[in-house]
Amino acid sequence: MGIIKQKEKGLLIVVSGPSGAGKDTVVSEVLKKKDIDAWVSISMTSRSPRGSEENGKDYFFVTKEEFEENIEKGNFLEYATYNDNYYGTPKNKIDEYLNKGIDVILIIEIQGALQIKELIPEALFIFIMPPSMEELINRLVNRGTDKPEKIISRFKRAYEEINEVTKYNYVVVNDDLEKSVDKVAAIMKAEKC
């Protein structure tokens, strides 16, 4: 008589860090690894697209009114405001992927991550840290997507966010992209064990 192995549920992985720390880059490189089976949840935002961002690929871009309608309908796992814009994680699809045994990665602001920690404490929380504040400001400036006053606002916010690092399971300093990607992939694999 054979043993029927039940498919393991996927991990909910929350990746946060200050703007400019490299969260999106690290996660997109992790997903290229052959042994990683994960899906990145696409957040919804009320802000306008930056640079070459595409609706439905980078974010779901909606008006402030549309976002507030989704809040009223209870369509978010979490949501937060950041720099006068809403950001949130739509609930649909997340359980579907987790139940199929596929890990779900949320790249979200720290406010939202702390909401999820309250709701789902067993989720995996990874904080991506810039190598230094000097490097962080260089990254924000070199992006070329924000006006100087917005860069200053993001930089000030980064100081506040770094104080929340103790609420995460792991911290990865993104000083070398390849090593940071390897560390995040290793954390995901270890947590599956």
Side-chain angles (χ1 to χ4, degrees):
M1 183 159 138
I3 296 174
I4 298 171
K5 187 179 176 193
Q6 186 177 344
K7 186 148 180 92
E8 262 183 53
K9 194 171 179 181
L11 271 177
L12 181 64
I13 303 159
V14 176
V15 178
S16 303
S19 183
K23 303 176 293 288
D24 294 300
T25 304
V26 168
V27 169
S28 78
E29 292 300 312
V30 165
L31 293 174
K32 291 177 184 175
K33 293 189 168 286
K34 290 181 179 104
D35 54 347
I36 297 292
D37 188 14
W39 174 76
V40 177
S41 172
I42 301 170
S43 294
M44 186 178 287
T45 183
S46 63
R47 77 160 169 77
S48 299
R50 288 193 301 238
S52 62
E53 289 179 330
E54 295 176 39
N55 188 42
K57 180 177 178 249
D58 299 291
Y59 286 96
F60 293 111
F61 295 99
V62 298
T63 64
K64 186 176 183 182
E65 293 74 25
E66 288 171 312
F67 199 103
E68 289 169 346
E69 282 176 32
N70 278 286
I71 293 171
E72 286 175 29
K73 291 177 182 173
N75 292 340
F76 293 110
L77 180 61
E78 60 75 33
Y79 69 91
T81 54
Y82 181 78
N83 281 335
D84 301 322
N85 292 299
Y86 284 115
Y87 292 83
T89 304
K91 283 182 191 173
N92 61 351
K93 296 277 185 206
I94 291 175
D95 281 337
E96 181 185 323
Y97 280 97
L98 291 174
N99 290 331
K100 288 179 184 173
I102 297 169
D103 297 338
V104 173
I105 301 174
L106 308 179
I107 306 170
I108 59 175
E109 302 302 328
I110 290 159
Q111 253 183 300
L114 298 179
Q115 288 178 37
I116 290 176
K117 192 160 183 90
E118 289 289 315
L119 291 169
I120 311 165
E122 67 277 10
L124 172 60
F125 294 84
I126 303 172
F127 193 92
I128 305 294
M129 182 83 85
S132 69
M133 294 311 277
E134 183 180 355
E135 177 59 23
L136 181 67
I137 197 83
N138 289 338
R139 290 177 184 180
L140 292 172
V141 169
N142 292 335
R143 264 186 190 174
T145 57
D146 292 320
K147 293 181 172 147
E149 57 274 7
K150 195 61 112 175
I151 291 170
I152 290 166
S153 171
R154 288 183 185 280
F155 189 69
K156 286 179 180 175
R157 180 77 183 254
Y159 271 107
E160 295 167 19
E161 292 174 335
I162 288 170
N163 287 324
E164 301 295 339
V165 74
T166 58
K167 296 179 176 144
Y168 285 73
N169 303 105
Y170 297 91
V171 177
V172 175
V173 177
N174 187 14
D175 54 352
D176 176 294
L177 180 60
E178 192 175 326
K179 286 180 183 172
S180 298
V181 169
D182 288 345
K183 287 176 186 175
V184 171
I187 290 166
M188 290 170 62
K189 288 178 206 165
E191 287 291 327
K192 295 288 271 191
C193 295

